[in-house]
Amino acid sequence: MRIEVNEIDLIKLLKEISLKTKIKSYIVGGVVRDFLLGVKNLDIDVVVEGDGIEFAYILLSYLKGDIVVYEAFRTATLSYDGISIDVISARKEYYERPAALPTIEFSNIYDDMARRDFTINTLAYDVIEEKILDYFNGLEDLKKGLIRVLHPKSFIDDPTRIFRAIRYATRYSFEIEEKTHNLMKDSTENIRLLSADRIRNEIFLILKESKAKEMIDKLIYYGIDKVIFDGITLNTQHLDTVYVNLEIELYRFLVLFYYLKEKDINEIEKRLRINKIYLKALKDLVFLREQLNCQNKNIRKIRKTIEETKEEVLKAIEVMEGEKAEKIIKGKLTVKGKDIENLGLPPGSLYGELMDNVFEAKINGIIATRDEEIAFLKKLIEKLKKGE
């Protein structure tokens, strides 16, 4: 096994540090799993049987880069040009109640692997012995392509593991082992115990994935959508599309809730605690979508919304509505107030009305290019000057 960071062999370096400090260290979890699957993984987890922060600072002295320290858990994260290394103190975890954050107790590598979610994530590479430790038959499940929990209370202790089971199964085209599948079905109601922040995080992790549509379909299959978004319809059509220069999570979030009713916007805000940017984008989406089918369109508000909204909103509408959306989407004006002033009309209340007229002409196909917008404006201003 070989992992390079800043052209340094990380495993050799960890071995050197472990031998010098007498602190055992291990590469664990997802990076081992993905190495064996031949999948690139830039998020590296290192578990040490000792003080994770102390070890992280020693590692930092060799690799340089940035570090963020989490005192309560004695862990730290080192970052280098897209590569992240979490250095973790080996620990046990106890859950005082379902869905609660765990209480921790520092321990050894076996106990740290025993607290993990699925067998395929319990693989650890011992950098001193240069071998893989497999306490829970993770290698066998990896070969068989199975997602299997370690114990029957796993989804009760941490319901976010239900989302993770779906992500891993879909991402790697694995099967969810039968008992694990049944435990998931029996535990979906526990998702209600999770905070809005934790649910939002899991949904957004799915929206980043290349198979987001299939993952959301599986959420729906397990009835998780009803637990989180009771009565709100999720859309999976076009969910896997990706566009350069767009924020993928925001775009897919808008596609996911494309058919949301205006009355349910506040419900989504509450259930996911979305930020102001996402909330405004969602409101803009719902407004513009409804205006497509409106006989008496609110030209002023449509124009202003299109001018101010995020590109992800316009792309979501374009993708979902096709030609139907072109009149509104392509109506976005290139002319500004300065152009009106340059045509000889001093700033004033008429600017808004003139812009509305140009916008309406554009969405009705009368004009299309910037030159045509300017020419149309010029005619309107000339009429005004003549008192028409």
Side-chain angles (χ1 to χ4, degrees):
M1 187 170 175
R2 182 178 174 85
I3 302 171
E4 278 199 2
V5 179
N6 288 359
E7 299 182 351
I8 295 174
D9 186 326
L10 179 63
I11 292 174
K12 283 187 178 179
L13 177 57
L14 291 173
K15 182 175 182 177
E16 179 184 335
I17 295 171
S18 288
L19 290 172
K20 281 183 180 178
T21 62
K22 308 299 182 186
I23 300 174
K24 287 187 177 180
S25 64
Y26 308 84
I27 302 283
V28 304
V31 70
V32 181
R33 174 199 69 218
D34 287 350
F35 177 83
L36 294 171
L37 291 172
V39 176
K40 190 174 183 179
N41 190 331
L42 299 179
D43 293 324
I44 302 162
D45 288 342
V46 176
V47 167
V48 301
E49 292 181 334
D51 191 323
I53 294 176
E54 176 190 342
F55 195 93
Y57 273 110
I58 297 171
L59 186 59
L60 183 68
S61 68
Y62 287 88
L63 296 176
K64 310 305 179 186
D66 300 316
I67 188 169
V68 178
V69 170
Y70 306 95
E71 287 285 351
F73 295 98
R74 300 308 295 168
T75 66
T77 299
L78 283 64
S79 303
Y80 313 84
D81 295 330
I83 298 175
S84 174
I85 303 176
D86 287 330
V87 183
I88 307 157
S89 298
R91 61 185 187 256
K92 291 181 180 179
E93 289 182 353
Y94 304 96
Y95 292 85
E96 294 180 7
R97 62 183 187 282
L101 292 174
T103 300
I104 67 167
E105 175 185 306
F106 297 119
S107 188
N108 55 40
I109 187 63
Y110 175 86
D111 287 336
D112 199 272
M113 293 300 98
R115 71 181 178 84
R116 305 271 163 164
D117 46 14
F118 310 108
T119 58
I120 62 169
N121 291 334
T122 63
L123 301 171
Y125 186 82
D126 186 326
V127 299
I128 293 178
E129 298 295 329
E130 298 182 7
K131 66 179 183 180
I132 290 176
L133 306 179
D134 180 18
Y135 300 114
F136 302 99
N137 296 318
L139 286 172
E140 184 178 349
D141 283 343
L142 201 62
K143 288 175 185 175
K144 291 180 178 178
L146 289 177
I147 305 297
R148 186 195 309 270
V149 287
L150 271 65
H151 59 86
K153 284 186 63 185
S154 185
F155 296 125
I156 296 172
D157 289 341
D158 185 358
T160 64
R161 289 171 176 166
I162 296 173
F163 295 94
R164 274 178 266 159
I166 289 171
R167 284 210 319 276
Y168 293 140
T170 307
R171 183 194 299 164
Y172 301 115
S173 299
F174 281 12
E175 293 290 324
I176 296 175
E177 179 265 337
E178 186 178 0
K179 288 182 180 177
T180 301
H181 164 77
N182 291 332
L183 288 169
M184 285 173 65
K185 288 176 69 176
D186 293 341
S187 303
T188 54
E189 281 295 319
N190 289 317
I191 291 171
R192 295 187 192 277
L193 301 174
L194 293 171
S195 69
D197 289 342
R198 294 180 75 188
I199 292 174
R200 183 192 64 248
N201 182 58
E202 293 300 326
I203 295 294
F204 278 36
L205 285 172
I206 286 175
L207 295 180
K208 290 179 183 179
E209 295 272 351
S210 62
K211 297 180 181 179
K213 178 188 183 304
E214 189 178 343
M215 292 180 189
I216 295 295
D217 282 336
K218 282 181 178 166
L219 286 188
I220 294 169
Y221 167 77
Y222 281 101
I224 297 167
D225 60 318
K226 291 183 174 62
V227 175
I228 306 172
F229 309 113
D230 187 23
I232 294 174
T233 301
L234 301 183
N235 169 61
T236 59
Q237 186 183 11
H238 300 298
L239 199 59
D240 286 343
T241 52
V242 177
Y243 294 94
V244 178
N245 300 325
L246 291 186
E247 183 189 332
I248 187 170
E249 297 101 310
L250 176 56
Y251 166 73
R252 286 179 169 173
F253 170 80
L254 295 169
V255 171
L256 182 66
F257 292 106
Y258 188 79
Y259 296 112
L260 189 71
K261 296 174 183 175
E262 187 176 4
K263 68 180 180 64
D264 292 327
I265 292 175
N266 290 337
E267 194 64 27
I268 292 299
E269 180 188 17
K270 183 178 74 175
R271 295 189 183 205
L272 294 180
R273 280 191 60 186
I274 54 175
N275 63 35
K276 291 179 181 178
I277 293 172
Y278 275 63
L279 180 60
K280 183 182 183 302
L282 195 56
K283 287 179 177 178
D284 290 347
L285 177 87
V286 172
F287 167 73
L288 291 173
R289 186 202 67 212
E290 290 182 348
Q291 285 292 306
L292 285 175
N293 301 310
C294 187
Q295 292 294 323
N296 299 312
K297 289 181 170 52
N298 187 335
I299 296 297
R300 173 69 56 87
K301 190 173 179 183
I302 293 173
R303 176 176 67 80
K304 285 189 169 294
T305 301
I306 287 177
E307 285 176 358
E308 297 169 2
T309 199
K310 303 280 286 183
E311 283 299 318
E312 289 82 0
V313 173
L314 302 181
K315 180 57 72 173
I317 295 172
E318 181 184 348
V319 167
M320 291 299 297
E321 301 290 349
E323 291 182 8
K324 184 180 177 182
E326 285 188 6
K327 282 188 177 180
I328 282 184
I329 301 303
K330 293 185 177 179
K332 190 172 184 178
L333 299 181
T334 63
V335 292
K336 307 293 180 187
K338 192 68 177 174
D339 295 299
I340 300 176
E341 189 176 356
N342 290 340
L343 290 170
L345 188 67
S349 59
L350 289 174
Y351 273 35
E353 187 176 336
L354 287 169
M355 297 289 275
D356 290 345
N357 288 333
V358 178
F359 178 74
E360 193 165 14
K362 197 167 184 182
I363 65 174
N364 288 327
I366 298 170
I367 59 175
T369 66
R370 174 173 170 79
D371 287 344
E372 288 171 340
E373 288 178 31
I374 296 288
F376 194 82
L377 260 178
K378 193 173 182 180
K379 287 181 182 179
L380 291 174
I381 292 170
E382 286 173 356
K383 284 183 180 181
L384 280 173
K385 288 180 177 178
K386 291 177 182 178
E388 295 179 17

